[in-house]
């Protein structure tokens, strides 16, 4: 069953996608399975591997493993060796590592003329992402989890980021992946930091998911469905919010955005908030610093129950008679 | 802090609500706190208690406790004693007990001319409900959790169900409630079945929530915010779906509902599904038997990629040229 599922997803992916692509391969089970499955579906590939130099000899062993695997399969392998700990310089290590990886993947894609970049996220990753966000606190947008396909434009440092990121194994569980590799007799590397409980992600995997499985053995599938559902709902909300914004927005005056107050008030508070969020995103204002409480204050200014409010990054919102004004301090 | 929060929510509720209401009181901490807090906010109340006769002498002790509490506060107390186990007759005990309670509350409200029925659900109940649904598998509509206010019309046996169900303590944690009662020196009853791990709800409370608190001490608040957010998103989706349906629906012919295929196909699959769900609900077809996979099939018929499909309860959907037909076998 696991073998069938991995191969079926790889073939479905191959059927819908012409031309060469990049596969990010860490050497772990998921990415090795993705590589083998896409290869068996006759997809033209270049492998990209990042040695993050976070685990000394183990990291170098991963690199050697991936190089050898590619040589055996007759595939080109491009490697970036980057001192991620130094690059992070106190910032979040995981997010720095992710940025470095995706930038490298996009650069390799540009260099070899590949049309897409595949990463090996599975349904288990999807479930863990949804849970991780749920724990930190999220709205519908966060529950969407990992997209099956999205533009690689979240990384402004990369000029040719237009090549989409794709996740062909998003409907496949980790158990399926391991069954498939065992069937092939294909070895893979195990990242020792995946057991380190100092990373929340690992505690989600090794403590929370096992407890949830005692409630519902199909919890991974249930969370993956929820992510799909949240994604669809989010698209509908965004469309409604864009429509509201287009009806509410007046021409800006001297750097000040102007929204018609009555139009904003005609919408529900949730829709008004979604429209304001679109403004924040379009203007490049610090959306991630906006808490639930901050959005509530923004909606109360839009709704006329507060007259003015300051937000993170020097954004100011002010009710002025029939309009609501938005400015950002230089 | 806890005391302040309980009293603040009770006063806020009292300020927005004229006339007498019913409070459902089990004798547990939450409902005793609600009763005391509404009483201290000078709200006119009649207490309703249901003895479910599920825990023998303990149930009778709860009833005696509530009667005595009401006598001490000078409040009328109406009690229903119902053999819930016999009424359930093999059906789900918890949902039968809930139906019996809400029907009784609505009957008492009708009898005494009360305008609303308050139950003592807290932020902890909200978090547990969201988690419970998440575990079972849910979409956005399930994540809405417990509504702060909703019509008591989910119980078709009750004629005067128009009186709303209200939850004044939905923003208050269980810890706040206990602090408040301790401050008053007000005793309360403890339901021994709340510790029974055979009820999923209790395992959510005693196993899952404590684990989640080790990730985020504010998990209850995070889940309550998510429920609010899901509620807002759901309202926006429903409005968009109702708009799509009004544009797609043609006059029915001989018991067959007719939808314009091109209009349905112009919408995203998620929006088409939401519109079809509205049809199912309006027609009283078995919505709860529709799985994720069933909705996907329905959307594929609507989208023209499948020609016909049968659904639970004898519902049949068929693409016929420019229209999609929906019928239910008698």
């Amino acid at each position: 069953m696991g073998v069938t599922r991995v191969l079926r997803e790889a073939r479905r992916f191959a059927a819908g996608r012409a031309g060469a692509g990049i596969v990010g391969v860490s050497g772990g089970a998921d990415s090795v399975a993705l590589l083998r499955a896409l290869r068996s579906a006759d997809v033209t590939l270049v492998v990209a591997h990042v040695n993050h130099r976070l685990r000394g000899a183990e990291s170098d062993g991963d690199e050697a493993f991936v190089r050898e695997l590619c040589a055996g399969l007759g595939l080109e392998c491009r490697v970036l060796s980057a001192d991620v700990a130094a690059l992070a310089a106190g910032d979040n290590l995981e997010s720095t590592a992710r940025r470095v990886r995706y930038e490298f993947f996009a650069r390799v894609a540009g260099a070899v003329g590949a049309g897409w970049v595949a990463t090996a996220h599975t349904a288990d990753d999807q479930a863990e992402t949804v849970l991780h966000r749920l724990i930190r606190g999220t709205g519908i947008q966060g529950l969407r989890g990992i997209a099956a396909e999205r533009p690689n434009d979240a990384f402004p440092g990369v000029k040719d980021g237009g090549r989409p990121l794709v996740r062909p194994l998003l409907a496949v569980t980790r158990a399926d992946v391991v069954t498939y590799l065992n069937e092939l007799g294909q070895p893979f590397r195990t990242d020792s930091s995946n057991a380190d409980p100092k990373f929340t992600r690992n505690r989600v995997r090794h403590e929370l998911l096992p407890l949830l499985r005692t409630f519902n053995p199909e919890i991974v599938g249930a969370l993956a469905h929820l992510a799909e559902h949240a994604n669809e709902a989010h698209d509908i909300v965004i469309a409604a919010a864009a429509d509201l914004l287009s009806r509410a927005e007046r021409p800006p005056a001297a750097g000040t955005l102007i929204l018609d107050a009555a139009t904003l008030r005609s919408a529900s508070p949730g829709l008004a908030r979604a429209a304001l969020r679109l403004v924040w995103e379009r203007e490049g204002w610090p959306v991630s610093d906006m808490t639930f409480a901050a959005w509530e204050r923004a909606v109360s200014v839009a709704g006329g129950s507060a007259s003015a409010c300051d937000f993170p990054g020097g954004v100011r919102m002010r009710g002025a008679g029939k309009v609501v004004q938005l400015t950002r301090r230089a």
Side-chain angles (χ1 to χ4, degrees), chain A residues 248-313:
Chain A
E249 195 156 17
R250 302 284 167 261
T256 297
L257 301 181
I258 299 173
L259 303 174
D260 180 63
T263 307
L264 282 179
R265 279 164 214 168
S266 71
S268 68
L271 188 54
R273 189 183 59 204
L276 290 171
R277 193 185 176 95
L278 287 182
V279 172
W280 253 254
E281 287 171 352
R282 186 189 71 194
E283 299 297 319
W285 296 343
V287 161
S288 58
D289 296 339
M290 292 289 287
T291 60
F292 272 105
W295 286 120
E296 268 176 31
R297 287 198 302 276
V299 168
S300 70
V301 176
S305 57
S307 62
C309 202
D310 288 300
F311 297 100

Side-chain angles (χ1 to χ4, degrees), chain A residues 243-257:
Chain A
D243 175 63
L244 173 62
L245 186 59
S246 74
R247 287 183 287 113
E249 195 156 17
R250 302 284 167 261
T256 297
L257 301 181

Side-chain angles (χ1 to χ4, degrees), chain A residues 110-189:
Chain A
V112 306
W116 43 269
V117 172
T119 60
H121 295 90
T122 63
D124 289 72
D125 291 311
Q126 181 69 295
E128 290 162 14
T129 300
V130 169
L131 289 173
H132 197 168
R133 294 189 182 164
L134 205 75
I135 289 167
R136 274 194 325 208
T138 187
I140 298 309
Q141 76 282 357
L143 287 189
R144 292 175 299 163
I146 302 163
E149 174 160 352
R150 69 169 172 82
N152 188 5
D153 59 3
F155 306 93
V158 178
K159 286 196 194 69
D160 49 7
R163 294 180 174 82
L165 285 172
V166 294
R167 281 74 186 237
L169 298 187
L170 207 52
V172 169
T173 65
R174 196 164 288 140
D176 289 334
V177 156
V178 171
T179 305
Y180 170 64
L181 292 175
N182 288 344
E183 186 88 0
L184 289 178
Q186 169 65 57
F188 54 87
R189 302 279 294 176

